[in-house]
Amino acid sequence: MIFSRTSQYAIQALIYLATQPGGQSSLNHEIARKLGVPPAYLAKILQGLCRQQILDSIRGRHGGFSLRD
């Protein structure tokens, strides 16, 4: 099965977030740098995953994205 680039990036981001200790949130640019993905494109993907209630998005200094409980 062949996945679209968007789907591949989404899966990679979800795997990255799942490997973070204790459900720690991660910033978009940190995830993008680790995965080698354009940050603006990844931000749109992560926002879509938040709308689908797969991820939580936290604003502020200690914010970021994390898997939803």
Side-chain angles (χ1 to χ4, degrees), residues 5-25:
R5 180 167 294 171
T6 302
S7 296
Q8 289 175 10
Y9 289 165
I11 292 167
Q12 289 175 343
L14 290 171
I15 291 170
Y16 177 82
L17 290 169
T19 62
Q20 296 306 298
Q24 178 181 351
S25 61

Side-chain angles (χ1 to χ4, degrees), residues 6 29 48-49 55:
T6 302
H29 66 83
L49 292 171
L55 296 180

